[in-house]
């Protein structure tokens, strides 16, 4: 992935701003008996979504005139040369996500289920 720094100018670009806000708070009482509003970490993620780039999009089913989410589709992430570098599957709402990507240009290919 180190060769991703030089990219052609006609490649699609995806970018996102990482978020550093906590996802949960602790409601256990502090020593003063008042609930604490400090963030509480209950588990350590295996991949931090705040390091690098995140691509998060939705896939629509092309078989419908209305927008219907496509679940179970395979999404291939490709670098600027067209090499597959990652793969995921859309969830029940049609969303896919790739976390912790080096800042670069990427394209995706959706493999529609039959």
């Amino acid at each position: 992935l180190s060769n991703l720094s030089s990219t052609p100018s006609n490649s699609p670009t995806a970018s996102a701003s990482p978020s550093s806000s906590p996802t949960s708070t602790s409601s256990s009482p502090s020593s003063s008996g008042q609930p604490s509003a400090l963030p509480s970490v209950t588990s350590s993620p295996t991949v931090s979504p705040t390091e690098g780039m995140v691509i998060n999009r939705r896939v629509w089913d092309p078989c419908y005139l209305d927008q219907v989410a496509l679940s179970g589709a395979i999404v291939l992430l490709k670098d600027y040369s067209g090499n597959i570098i990652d793969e995921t599957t859309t969830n029940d709402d049609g969303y896919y996500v790739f976390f912790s990507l080096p800042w670069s240009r990427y394209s995706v290919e959706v493999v529609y289920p039959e």
Side-chain angles (χ1 to χ4, degrees), residues 12-72:
T13 302
S15 63
S17 299
S19 170
S20 61
S21 59
T23 57
S24 65
T25 57
S26 173
S27 61
S28 58
S30 65
S31 60
S32 66
Q34 299 295 323
S36 171
L38 298 174
S40 172
V41 178
T42 57
S43 65
S44 299
T46 56
V47 177
S48 172
T50 60
E51 293 176 13
M53 199 165 93
V54 176
I55 298 174
N56 183 18
R57 296 231 170 109
R58 195 174 202 182
V59 177
W60 303 107
D61 193 327
C63 296
Y64 295 91
L65 294 177
D66 296 329
Q67 289 185 332
V68 176
L70 183 64
S71 65

Side-chain angles (χ1 to χ4, degrees), residues 68-106:
V68 176
L70 183 64
S71 65
I74 297 171
V75 181
L76 306 173
L77 180 67
K78 296 182 178 185
D79 65 11
Y80 68 96
S81 297
N83 301 311
I84 298 171
I85 57 172
D86 203 354
E87 176 181 312
T88 191
T89 304
T90 57
N91 65 14
D92 290 339
D93 294 321
Y95 284 98
Y96 65 88
V97 64
F98 294 101
F99 289 107
S100 302
L101 299 170
W103 291 98
S104 186
R105 296 174 188 252
Y106 300 95

